[in-house]
Amino acid sequence: MESFLCLKVSFILLLLVHCVVVHVHGDGIDDLQPLSKIAIHRALFAFNVNASLKAEPVLLGTKGEDFQWITVELECPDPSEDDWVAVFSPAKFNSSTCPPVIFPGQEAPHLCTAPIKYKFANDSNAEYMKTGKASLKFRLINQRADFSIALFSGGLSHPKLLAVSNTVTFANPKAPVYPRLSQGKSWNEMAVTWTSGYNIIDAVTFVEWGFKGESQTQSPAGTLTFHREAMCGPPARTIGWRDPGYIHTSFLKDLWPNSLYTYKLGHRLFNGSYIWSKSYYFKSSPYPGQDSLQRVVIFGDMGKAERDGSNDSNEDKNYQPGSLNTTDQLIKDLDNIDILFHIGDITYANGYISQWDQFTSQVEPIASTIPYMIASGNHERDVPGTGSFFETNDSGGECGVLAETMFYVPAENRAKFWYSTDYGMFHFCIADSEHDWREGSEQYKFIEKCLASADRQKQPWLIFAAHRVLGYSSNYWKDGSYGESMGRESLQKLWQKYKVDIAFYGHVHNYERTCPIYQNRCVNTEKTHYSGTVNGTIHIVVGAGGYRLNSDPQLKTNWSIYTKVSGFGFGKLTALNHSSLLFEYKRSSDGEVYDSFTISRDYRDVLACVHDGCEPTTLAT
């Protein structure tokens, strides 16, 4: 313990305190990220020789597991209702890890890094106030470093460090973990991205893969990382910073369509030994235009949650209550899903870097098996003065770096998070609502090019998606319009011209479906089955992936067919063939269908002339 008291510390206290105050009170992010409740910069040392913590087991992952439960036994001679227990990683979390002071004589804080999770000492320990004893369970994942557990008094606002536990570590903290698949830049390419503790000076990184049951081949992987200086503001640059490790991506090319492949992640150390992950599998994409059953899941705003109940104080109850329900329902139904789109507000880490590891661990059973495609939301990108279209600090200083690095998308420039991708009979145009989409902008030109490039004879189902509501939602009133009025008038001309079937959005934490609409008017009176010409686009909000839900909209519109709060859930598209498409909104709690509709039509219906959607003709013969 003496090291905590004796280490000469250095840190820019004035900057850190200013950053924390701006973070907590300036943009409301404290309402979104439980770790931001902790005023770690105010922590004082108040070690009590009679207080103790013991964490067991001390060695985790001895059988190759990338997560394990530990039990923490604590004793405190003077228990209080606001005592809390935090997990820190790396285990050494004292001020020796702080950046240097640049102002002479400036006092530094005792601690300058947030924990990765916490619980109150009386959590599930009703007798704690009487006995001063408690037993807590935490679920730890492999995050490339060791762990220690700390006991604080004084609540989250005025923490006083009373005791620190023994160190806990994984057998191989550097092991390759949490693979996430993505469509490559061509239909027959799969990108595999994962995280490890091995840099290019430590190992040669690759994926070993091939047809299931046959000889395997190896494809090299590139390695990326980033440093504190890449963060654009607090808390990502200050108390939320944690080393992200190394992010590797390998491209598996020339895949045969509809084929089952197995793969595992490999690192060949320079001493000749190999480090392997466990084995995974995926099914390759169908050939573009292939007529077969194809199933797509799409949702936004899921975030992450802890299976051990941590980071869930009384103030933060129901922070992201549906996240695990959605994740578990998707895992349960994984054999009936081919590709997934998570359209923004991915983790709600909001500058607490450790939470990205927690998220990739949570979705690993899904993302390691089917392409997990993402879009950029305000909680990934927005920081004032950094080029984001909206001048808020909703990303907590991340400014897109985490999303762009942790996940691969087939964008020409991943800092500009718009891209197109094909899956069988579907053509997807994924926009980035956090960059300018207005007419004349670079992104607007991309959107038109993407929509125009769809071969509707082979890929009849044209889908647009973005995080913010760039189209219509009765629960998104902004600047006198239901949706982002600045760009919608321009974008809907493109949707109409190129006959977009459905536009999906997140951001609003609810589910809503409109009629086929153009220029604020329904162009079809049907509600559950649409057939014939494409004379308007259906707009669907699927932002109920896990974050606390919005209430029902107060104002009713004649174009909104379904607006009632229906619980957490996700959208599912099923292309039955070139002429029939089914959409379902499924509840995360039980997988039941809450709303649905079908579209039936032929190729000539797509070619048909509609208002503002006619090809030019000539009288010449």
Side-chain angles (χ1 to χ4, degrees), residues 290-298 333 335-339 423-426 428 460-461 463 502 504 540 570-586 593 595-600:
Q290 175 185 300
D291 196 337
S292 62
L293 186 69
Q294 295 157 17
R295 301 151 302 183
V296 181
V297 160
I298 187 164
D333 198 37
D335 288 342
N336 300 308
I337 305 170
D338 297 311
I339 186 172
Y423 191 90
M425 293 177 284
F426 290 98
F428 296 93
W461 310 116
I463 308 299
I502 307 175
F504 287 98
I540 302 179
F570 51 90
K572 185 176 182 180
L573 291 165
T574 301
L576 304 171
N577 51 49
H578 282 71
S579 299
S580 300
L581 179 71
L582 168 67
F583 171 81
E584 300 166 297
Y585 182 73
K586 307 187 79 172
V593 175
D595 182 34
S596 66
F597 66 86
T598 57
I599 300 175
S600 299

Short mmCIF file of all heavy atoms in Angstrom, two decimals, residues 290-298 333 335-339 423-426 428 460-461 463 502 504 540 570-586 593 595-600:
data_model
loop_
_atom_site.label_atom_id
_atom_site.label_comp_id
_atom_site.label_asym_id
_atom_site.label_seq_id
_atom_site.Cartn_x
_atom_site.Cartn_y
_atom_site.Cartn_z
N GLN A 290 -28.48 -13.65 -56.49
CA GLN A 290 -28.89 -15.05 -56.30
C GLN A 290 -30.28 -15.11 -55.69
O GLN A 290 -30.60 -14.42 -54.74
CB GLN A 290 -27.88 -15.75 -55.39
CG GLN A 290 -28.27 -17.17 -55.02
CD GLN A 290 -27.30 -17.77 -54.02
OE1 GLN A 290 -26.11 -17.89 -54.31
NE2 GLN A 290 -27.81 -18.17 -52.86
N ASP A 291 -31.10 -15.98 -56.22
CA ASP A 291 -32.49 -16.15 -55.75
C ASP A 291 -32.50 -17.23 -54.68
O ASP A 291 -32.48 -18.42 -54.97
CB ASP A 291 -33.38 -16.54 -56.93
CG ASP A 291 -34.86 -16.36 -56.61
OD1 ASP A 291 -35.21 -16.37 -55.41
OD2 ASP A 291 -35.66 -16.19 -57.54
N SER A 292 -32.52 -16.80 -53.42
CA SER A 292 -32.54 -17.74 -52.30
C SER A 292 -33.04 -16.99 -51.07
O SER A 292 -33.16 -15.76 -51.08
CB SER A 292 -31.14 -18.32 -52.04
OG SER A 292 -30.23 -17.28 -51.68
N LEU A 293 -33.33 -17.71 -50.02
CA LEU A 293 -33.77 -17.09 -48.77
C LEU A 293 -32.63 -16.30 -48.16
O LEU A 293 -31.55 -16.84 -47.91
CB LEU A 293 -34.25 -18.17 -47.81
CG LEU A 293 -34.89 -17.68 -46.50
CD1 LEU A 293 -36.23 -17.03 -46.78
CD2 LEU A 293 -35.04 -18.85 -45.52
N GLN A 294 -32.88 -14.99 -47.91
CA GLN A 294 -31.82 -14.11 -47.37
C GLN A 294 -32.40 -13.26 -46.25
O GLN A 294 -33.42 -12.59 -46.45
CB GLN A 294 -31.23 -13.25 -48.48
CG GLN A 294 -30.51 -14.08 -49.53
CD GLN A 294 -30.41 -13.42 -50.89
OE1 GLN A 294 -30.60 -12.22 -51.02
NE2 GLN A 294 -30.12 -14.22 -51.92
N ARG A 295 -31.72 -13.27 -45.06
CA ARG A 295 -32.30 -12.68 -43.86
C ARG A 295 -31.35 -11.67 -43.25
O ARG A 295 -30.18 -11.97 -42.98
CB ARG A 295 -32.61 -13.79 -42.88
CG ARG A 295 -33.60 -14.82 -43.45
CD ARG A 295 -33.40 -16.20 -42.87
NE ARG A 295 -32.05 -16.72 -43.07
CZ ARG A 295 -31.67 -17.94 -42.70
NH1 ARG A 295 -32.53 -18.76 -42.14
NH2 ARG A 295 -30.42 -18.33 -42.90
N VAL A 296 -31.87 -10.46 -43.03
CA VAL A 296 -31.08 -9.32 -42.57
C VAL A 296 -31.69 -8.76 -41.29
O VAL A 296 -32.90 -8.51 -41.23
CB VAL A 296 -31.05 -8.21 -43.64
CG1 VAL A 296 -30.21 -7.02 -43.17
CG2 VAL A 296 -30.55 -8.76 -44.98
N VAL A 297 -30.87 -8.54 -40.27
CA VAL A 297 -31.31 -7.89 -39.03
C VAL A 297 -30.74 -6.48 -39.00
O VAL A 297 -29.59 -6.25 -39.39
CB VAL A 297 -30.87 -8.68 -37.79
CG1 VAL A 297 -30.89 -7.81 -36.53
CG2 VAL A 297 -31.78 -9.88 -37.60
N ILE A 298 -31.55 -5.52 -38.54
CA ILE A 298 -31.11 -4.12 -38.48
C ILE A 298 -31.71 -3.44 -37.26
O ILE A 298 -32.89 -3.61 -36.95
CB ILE A 298 -31.48 -3.39 -39.80
CG1 ILE A 298 -30.88 -1.98 -39.82
CG2 ILE A 298 -32.97 -3.36 -40.03
CD1 ILE A 298 -30.88 -1.34 -41.22
N ASP A 333 -31.36 -16.84 -32.15
CA ASP A 333 -31.92 -16.95 -33.50
C ASP A 333 -30.84 -16.90 -34.59
O ASP A 333 -31.15 -16.68 -35.76
CB ASP A 333 -32.94 -15.82 -33.71
CG ASP A 333 -33.88 -16.10 -34.88
OD1 ASP A 333 -34.26 -17.28 -35.08
OD2 ASP A 333 -34.25 -15.15 -35.59
N ASP A 335 -29.05 -18.90 -36.29
CA ASP A 335 -29.12 -19.76 -37.46
C ASP A 335 -30.09 -19.21 -38.51
O ASP A 335 -30.10 -19.68 -39.66
CB ASP A 335 -29.56 -21.17 -37.06
CG ASP A 335 -28.48 -21.93 -36.32
OD1 ASP A 335 -27.31 -21.53 -36.41
OD2 ASP A 335 -28.81 -22.93 -35.64
N ASN A 336 -30.90 -18.23 -38.13
CA ASN A 336 -31.88 -17.65 -39.04
C ASN A 336 -31.54 -16.21 -39.42
O ASN A 336 -32.41 -15.45 -39.82
CB ASN A 336 -33.28 -17.71 -38.41
CG ASN A 336 -33.71 -19.13 -38.11
OD1 ASN A 336 -33.66 -19.99 -38.98
ND2 ASN A 336 -34.11 -19.38 -36.88
N ILE A 337 -30.27 -15.83 -39.27
CA ILE A 337 -29.80 -14.49 -39.61
C ILE A 337 -28.56 -14.64 -40.49
O ILE A 337 -27.65 -15.42 -40.17
CB ILE A 337 -29.46 -13.66 -38.36
CG1 ILE A 337 -30.65 -13.61 -37.39
CG2 ILE A 337 -29.03 -12.25 -38.74
CD1 ILE A 337 -30.31 -13.02 -36.04
N ASP A 338 -28.50 -13.87 -41.57
CA ASP A 338 -27.35 -13.95 -42.49
C ASP A 338 -26.39 -12.78 -42.35
O ASP A 338 -25.18 -12.94 -42.55
CB ASP A 338 -27.84 -14.02 -43.93
CG ASP A 338 -28.67 -15.27 -44.19
OD1 ASP A 338 -28.22 -16.37 -43.81
OD2 ASP A 338 -29.79 -15.15 -44.73
N ILE A 339 -26.89 -11.60 -42.04
CA ILE A 339 -26.06 -10.41 -41.92
C ILE A 339 -26.79 -9.43 -41.00
O ILE A 339 -28.03 -9.45 -40.92
CB ILE A 339 -25.77 -9.78 -43.31
CG1 ILE A 339 -24.77 -8.62 -43.20
CG2 ILE A 339 -27.05 -9.35 -44.00
CD1 ILE A 339 -24.30 -8.09 -44.57
N TYR A 423 -25.67 -7.85 -50.56
CA TYR A 423 -25.88 -9.18 -50.02
C TYR A 423 -27.01 -9.84 -50.81
O TYR A 423 -28.19 -9.50 -50.62
CB TYR A 423 -26.23 -9.14 -48.53
CG TYR A 423 -26.17 -10.52 -47.92
CD1 TYR A 423 -24.98 -10.99 -47.37
CD2 TYR A 423 -27.26 -11.38 -47.95
CE1 TYR A 423 -24.89 -12.28 -46.86
CE2 TYR A 423 -27.18 -12.66 -47.45
CZ TYR A 423 -25.99 -13.11 -46.89
OH TYR A 423 -25.90 -14.39 -46.40
N GLY A 424 -26.64 -10.72 -51.75
CA GLY A 424 -27.63 -11.42 -52.55
C GLY A 424 -28.54 -10.48 -53.31
O GLY A 424 -28.10 -9.71 -54.17
N MET A 425 -29.83 -10.48 -52.97
CA MET A 425 -30.82 -9.65 -53.65
C MET A 425 -30.94 -8.25 -53.04
O MET A 425 -31.75 -7.45 -53.49
CB MET A 425 -32.19 -10.35 -53.61
CG MET A 425 -32.25 -11.62 -54.43
SD MET A 425 -33.85 -12.47 -54.30
CE MET A 425 -33.72 -13.23 -52.68
N PHE A 426 -30.11 -7.94 -52.03
CA PHE A 426 -30.14 -6.63 -51.38
C PHE A 426 -28.97 -5.75 -51.84
O PHE A 426 -27.85 -6.23 -52.03
CB PHE A 426 -30.02 -6.77 -49.86
CG PHE A 426 -31.22 -7.37 -49.19
CD1 PHE A 426 -31.24 -8.72 -48.87
CD2 PHE A 426 -32.31 -6.59 -48.85
CE1 PHE A 426 -32.34 -9.28 -48.23
CE2 PHE A 426 -33.41 -7.13 -48.21
CZ PHE A 426 -33.42 -8.49 -47.90
N PHE A 428 -27.37 -2.22 -50.21
CA PHE A 428 -27.44 -1.34 -49.06
C PHE A 428 -26.61 -0.08 -49.28
O PHE A 428 -25.43 -0.17 -49.71
CB PHE A 428 -26.92 -2.03 -47.80
CG PHE A 428 -27.73 -3.22 -47.37
CD1 PHE A 428 -27.40 -4.50 -47.79
CD2 PHE A 428 -28.84 -3.06 -46.55
CE1 PHE A 428 -28.14 -5.60 -47.40
CE2 PHE A 428 -29.59 -4.14 -46.15
CZ PHE A 428 -29.24 -5.42 -46.57
N PRO A 460 -33.36 -6.41 -56.40
CA PRO A 460 -34.57 -5.59 -56.38
C PRO A 460 -34.79 -4.82 -55.09
O PRO A 460 -35.52 -3.83 -55.08
CB PRO A 460 -35.68 -6.64 -56.57
CG PRO A 460 -35.10 -7.91 -56.04
CD PRO A 460 -33.65 -7.86 -56.40
N TRP A 461 -34.13 -5.23 -54.00
CA TRP A 461 -34.42 -4.63 -52.70
C TRP A 461 -33.34 -3.61 -52.35
O TRP A 461 -32.21 -3.97 -52.01
CB TRP A 461 -34.53 -5.71 -51.64
CG TRP A 461 -35.47 -6.81 -52.06
CD1 TRP A 461 -35.16 -8.11 -52.30
CD2 TRP A 461 -36.86 -6.67 -52.35
NE1 TRP A 461 -36.26 -8.81 -52.70
CE2 TRP A 461 -37.34 -7.95 -52.75
CE3 TRP A 461 -37.77 -5.60 -52.32
CZ2 TRP A 461 -38.66 -8.18 -53.11
CZ3 TRP A 461 -39.09 -5.83 -52.69
CH2 TRP A 461 -39.52 -7.11 -53.06
N ILE A 463 -32.05 -0.61 -50.03
CA ILE A 463 -32.21 -0.21 -48.63
C ILE A 463 -31.25 0.94 -48.31
O ILE A 463 -30.06 0.87 -48.62
CB ILE A 463 -31.92 -1.39 -47.68
CG1 ILE A 463 -32.75 -2.63 -48.07
CG2 ILE A 463 -32.18 -0.98 -46.24
CD1 ILE A 463 -34.24 -2.44 -48.01
N ILE A 502 -37.01 0.91 -48.54
CA ILE A 502 -37.11 1.20 -47.11
C ILE A 502 -35.90 2.00 -46.67
O ILE A 502 -34.77 1.73 -47.10
CB ILE A 502 -37.19 -0.09 -46.28
CG1 ILE A 502 -38.32 -1.01 -46.78
CG2 ILE A 502 -37.41 0.23 -44.80
CD1 ILE A 502 -38.36 -2.36 -46.08
N PHE A 504 -34.02 3.06 -43.07
CA PHE A 504 -33.95 2.72 -41.65
C PHE A 504 -33.14 3.76 -40.88
O PHE A 504 -32.14 4.28 -41.38
CB PHE A 504 -33.29 1.36 -41.46
CG PHE A 504 -34.14 0.19 -41.85
CD1 PHE A 504 -33.99 -0.41 -43.10
CD2 PHE A 504 -35.10 -0.32 -40.98
CE1 PHE A 504 -34.76 -1.49 -43.46
CE2 PHE A 504 -35.88 -1.40 -41.34
CZ PHE A 504 -35.72 -2.00 -42.58
N ILE A 540 -38.53 3.61 -41.40
CA ILE A 540 -38.66 2.80 -40.18
C ILE A 540 -37.58 3.20 -39.17
O ILE A 540 -36.39 3.22 -39.51
CB ILE A 540 -38.55 1.30 -40.49
CG1 ILE A 540 -39.62 0.89 -41.51
CG2 ILE A 540 -38.69 0.48 -39.22
CD1 ILE A 540 -39.57 -0.59 -41.89
N PHE A 570 -35.75 -5.37 -32.63
CA PHE A 570 -34.93 -5.20 -33.82
C PHE A 570 -35.76 -5.51 -35.05
O PHE A 570 -36.78 -6.22 -34.98
CB PHE A 570 -33.70 -6.12 -33.76
CG PHE A 570 -34.03 -7.57 -33.47
CD1 PHE A 570 -34.28 -8.47 -34.50
CD2 PHE A 570 -34.08 -8.03 -32.17
CE1 PHE A 570 -34.59 -9.79 -34.24
CE2 PHE A 570 -34.38 -9.36 -31.88
CZ PHE A 570 -34.63 -10.24 -32.92
N GLY A 571 -35.34 -4.97 -36.16
CA GLY A 571 -36.01 -5.23 -37.43
C GLY A 571 -35.39 -6.41 -38.14
O GLY A 571 -34.18 -6.67 -38.01
N LYS A 572 -36.20 -7.12 -38.90
CA LYS A 572 -35.69 -8.24 -39.68
C LYS A 572 -36.32 -8.23 -41.06
O LYS A 572 -37.54 -8.20 -41.19
CB LYS A 572 -35.98 -9.57 -38.98
CG LYS A 572 -35.37 -10.77 -39.70
CD LYS A 572 -35.59 -12.07 -38.93
CE LYS A 572 -34.93 -13.25 -39.65
NZ LYS A 572 -35.14 -14.52 -38.91
N LEU A 573 -35.47 -8.23 -42.07
CA LEU A 573 -35.89 -8.31 -43.47
C LEU A 573 -35.64 -9.73 -43.97
O LEU A 573 -34.54 -10.27 -43.78
CB LEU A 573 -35.10 -7.33 -44.33
CG LEU A 573 -35.36 -5.84 -44.13
CD1 LEU A 573 -34.24 -5.03 -44.79
CD2 LEU A 573 -36.71 -5.45 -44.70
N THR A 574 -36.63 -10.31 -44.63
CA THR A 574 -36.46 -11.62 -45.24
C THR A 574 -36.85 -11.53 -46.71
O THR A 574 -38.01 -11.29 -47.04
CB THR A 574 -37.34 -12.68 -44.55
OG1 THR A 574 -37.00 -12.75 -43.16
CG2 THR A 574 -37.13 -14.04 -45.18
N ALA A 575 -35.84 -11.67 -47.57
CA ALA A 575 -36.10 -11.71 -49.01
C ALA A 575 -36.42 -13.15 -49.38
O ALA A 575 -35.55 -14.04 -49.31
CB ALA A 575 -34.89 -11.20 -49.78
N LEU A 576 -37.68 -13.38 -49.76
CA LEU A 576 -38.09 -14.74 -50.12
C LEU A 576 -37.67 -15.08 -51.54
O LEU A 576 -37.33 -16.22 -51.85
CB LEU A 576 -39.60 -14.87 -49.96
CG LEU A 576 -40.13 -14.53 -48.55
CD1 LEU A 576 -41.63 -14.49 -48.54
CD2 LEU A 576 -39.60 -15.54 -47.54
N ASN A 577 -37.70 -14.05 -52.40
CA ASN A 577 -37.25 -14.18 -53.79
C ASN A 577 -37.18 -12.77 -54.37
O ASN A 577 -37.22 -11.79 -53.63
CB ASN A 577 -38.19 -15.09 -54.60
CG ASN A 577 -39.65 -14.68 -54.44
OD1 ASN A 577 -40.00 -13.50 -54.59
ND2 ASN A 577 -40.50 -15.65 -54.13
N HIS A 578 -37.09 -12.65 -55.70
CA HIS A 578 -36.97 -11.33 -56.32
C HIS A 578 -38.27 -10.53 -56.27
O HIS A 578 -38.26 -9.32 -56.55
CB HIS A 578 -36.53 -11.48 -57.78
CG HIS A 578 -35.06 -11.76 -57.94
ND1 HIS A 578 -34.50 -12.97 -57.60
CD2 HIS A 578 -34.03 -10.98 -58.38
CE1 HIS A 578 -33.20 -12.93 -57.83
NE2 HIS A 578 -32.89 -11.74 -58.30
N SER A 579 -39.35 -11.16 -55.91
CA SER A 579 -40.65 -10.48 -55.94
C SER A 579 -41.31 -10.33 -54.58
O SER A 579 -42.31 -9.62 -54.47
CB SER A 579 -41.62 -11.24 -56.87
OG SER A 579 -41.12 -11.28 -58.19
N SER A 580 -40.77 -10.96 -53.54
CA SER A 580 -41.44 -10.95 -52.24
C SER A 580 -40.45 -10.64 -51.12
O SER A 580 -39.41 -11.30 -51.00
CB SER A 580 -42.09 -12.32 -51.97
OG SER A 580 -43.05 -12.61 -52.96
N LEU A 581 -40.83 -9.64 -50.30
CA LEU A 581 -40.02 -9.22 -49.16
C LEU A 581 -40.90 -9.14 -47.92
O LEU A 581 -42.01 -8.61 -47.96
CB LEU A 581 -39.39 -7.85 -49.43
CG LEU A 581 -38.51 -7.27 -48.31
CD1 LEU A 581 -37.22 -8.05 -48.19
CD2 LEU A 581 -38.20 -5.79 -48.58
N LEU A 582 -40.41 -9.68 -46.82
CA LEU A 582 -41.10 -9.63 -45.53
C LEU A 582 -40.29 -8.80 -44.55
O LEU A 582 -39.08 -8.99 -44.42
CB LEU A 582 -41.28 -11.05 -44.98
CG LEU A 582 -41.73 -11.18 -43.51
CD1 LEU A 582 -43.15 -10.65 -43.33
CD2 LEU A 582 -41.61 -12.62 -43.03
N PHE A 583 -40.97 -7.85 -43.87
CA PHE A 583 -40.35 -7.14 -42.76
C PHE A 583 -41.07 -7.49 -41.47
O PHE A 583 -42.30 -7.52 -41.42
CB PHE A 583 -40.40 -5.61 -42.96
CG PHE A 583 -39.94 -4.87 -41.71
CD1 PHE A 583 -38.60 -4.72 -41.45
CD2 PHE A 583 -40.86 -4.38 -40.79
CE1 PHE A 583 -38.16 -4.08 -40.29
CE2 PHE A 583 -40.44 -3.74 -39.63
CZ PHE A 583 -39.08 -3.59 -39.39
N GLU A 584 -40.27 -7.72 -40.40
CA GLU A 584 -40.83 -7.98 -39.08
C GLU A 584 -40.09 -7.15 -38.04
O GLU A 584 -38.87 -6.99 -38.12
CB GLU A 584 -40.67 -9.46 -38.71
CG GLU A 584 -41.35 -10.42 -39.66
CD GLU A 584 -40.90 -11.85 -39.44
OE1 GLU A 584 -39.68 -12.10 -39.64
OE2 GLU A 584 -41.73 -12.68 -39.06
N TYR A 585 -40.85 -6.64 -37.07
CA TYR A 585 -40.22 -6.05 -35.89
C TYR A 585 -40.40 -7.05 -34.75
O TYR A 585 -41.52 -7.39 -34.38
CB TYR A 585 -40.85 -4.71 -35.52
CG TYR A 585 -40.15 -4.08 -34.32
CD1 TYR A 585 -38.88 -3.54 -34.46
CD2 TYR A 585 -40.75 -4.08 -33.06
CE1 TYR A 585 -38.22 -2.98 -33.38
CE2 TYR A 585 -40.09 -3.52 -31.98
CZ TYR A 585 -38.83 -2.98 -32.14
OH TYR A 585 -38.17 -2.44 -31.06
N LYS A 586 -39.28 -7.54 -34.21
CA LYS A 586 -39.31 -8.61 -33.23
C LYS A 586 -38.89 -8.09 -31.86
O LYS A 586 -37.93 -7.33 -31.74
CB LYS A 586 -38.40 -9.76 -33.66
CG LYS A 586 -38.69 -10.25 -35.08
CD LYS A 586 -37.89 -11.48 -35.44
CE LYS A 586 -38.50 -12.72 -34.84
NZ LYS A 586 -37.85 -13.96 -35.33
N VAL A 593 -43.06 -11.53 -32.97
CA VAL A 593 -43.24 -10.48 -33.97
C VAL A 593 -44.28 -9.48 -33.46
O VAL A 593 -45.40 -9.87 -33.13
CB VAL A 593 -43.67 -11.07 -35.32
CG1 VAL A 593 -43.97 -9.96 -36.32
CG2 VAL A 593 -42.58 -12.01 -35.85
N ASP A 595 -44.80 -6.33 -35.18
CA ASP A 595 -45.35 -5.63 -36.33
C ASP A 595 -44.73 -6.25 -37.57
O ASP A 595 -43.60 -6.77 -37.53
CB ASP A 595 -45.04 -4.13 -36.25
CG ASP A 595 -45.63 -3.34 -37.42
OD1 ASP A 595 -46.72 -3.72 -37.88
OD2 ASP A 595 -44.99 -2.36 -37.87
N SER A 596 -45.44 -6.20 -38.68
CA SER A 596 -44.89 -6.79 -39.91
C SER A 596 -45.63 -6.24 -41.13
O SER A 596 -46.74 -5.70 -41.02
CB SER A 596 -45.01 -8.32 -39.90
OG SER A 596 -46.36 -8.73 -39.92
N PHE A 597 -45.00 -6.35 -42.27
CA PHE A 597 -45.65 -6.06 -43.55
C PHE A 597 -44.90 -6.81 -44.64
O PHE A 597 -43.77 -7.29 -44.44
CB PHE A 597 -45.70 -4.56 -43.84
CG PHE A 597 -44.36 -3.91 -44.04
CD1 PHE A 597 -43.73 -3.88 -45.29
CD2 PHE A 597 -43.71 -3.29 -42.99
CE1 PHE A 597 -42.50 -3.28 -45.47
CE2 PHE A 597 -42.47 -2.67 -43.16
CZ PHE A 597 -41.87 -2.67 -44.40
N THR A 598 -45.52 -6.90 -45.80
CA THR A 598 -44.89 -7.56 -46.95
C THR A 598 -44.92 -6.63 -48.15
O THR A 598 -45.77 -5.73 -48.25
CB THR A 598 -45.61 -8.87 -47.32
OG1 THR A 598 -46.99 -8.58 -47.58
CG2 THR A 598 -45.49 -9.88 -46.19
N ILE A 599 -43.97 -6.84 -49.05
CA ILE A 599 -43.93 -6.14 -50.34
C ILE A 599 -43.90 -7.20 -51.43
O ILE A 599 -43.09 -8.14 -51.37
CB ILE A 599 -42.70 -5.23 -50.45
CG1 ILE A 599 -42.69 -4.15 -49.36
CG2 ILE A 599 -42.65 -4.56 -51.84
CD1 ILE A 599 -41.43 -3.29 -49.35
N SER A 600 -44.77 -7.04 -52.41
CA SER A 600 -44.78 -7.95 -53.56
C SER A 600 -44.80 -7.13 -54.84
O SER A 600 -45.60 -6.21 -54.98
CB SER A 600 -46.03 -8.85 -53.53
OG SER A 600 -46.03 -9.66 -52.37
#
